[in-house]
Amino acid sequence: MAENYLSDRQLGERYNVHHLTPRRWVREDPTFPKPVKLSPGCARWRLSEIEAWEATKATDKATT
C-alpha cells in the first residue's frame, strides 16, 4: 500500500494551527513524528505516523 504524506500546511489545517507550528512541535515534543525528507527542500510527515501519534495522545488523555 502506498504511503500518504502531509505537508506542514496540511498539518496546520488538520490541527487548526499555523503551518509552522508542526515544525516547532518536532523540536519541542520528542513524541511528535519527524518529517521525512523526500527531496531537497521537500519534507513531509507520514500520515500513518501522525495517526499513530494521535492515537497515543488520545490514550494518554483517557488515562489521566
Side-chain angles (χ1 to χ4, degrees):
M1 188 166 124
E3 180 73 61
N4 290 322
Y5 295 90
L6 299 175
S7 68
D8 55 357
R9 291 189 184 275
Q10 290 170 312
L11 283 176
E13 289 176 16
R14 184 179 186 101
Y15 299 119
N16 198 29
V17 296
H18 191 272
H19 72 94
L20 294 178
T21 301
R23 296 186 181 277
R24 180 175 50 82
W25 290 344
V26 167
R27 290 190 315 269
E28 296 176 357
D29 182 354
T31 66
F32 191 74
K34 306 277 188 270
V36 177
K37 193 166 196 163
L38 300 178
S39 66
C42 180
R44 299 288 186 265
W45 282 262
R46 288 184 180 98
L47 179 57
S48 60
E49 292 180 1
I50 292 296
E51 290 172 338
W53 178 79
E54 290 171 346
T56 302
K57 288 296 183 184
T59 357
D60 289 351
K61 196 175 221 180
T63 59
T64 52

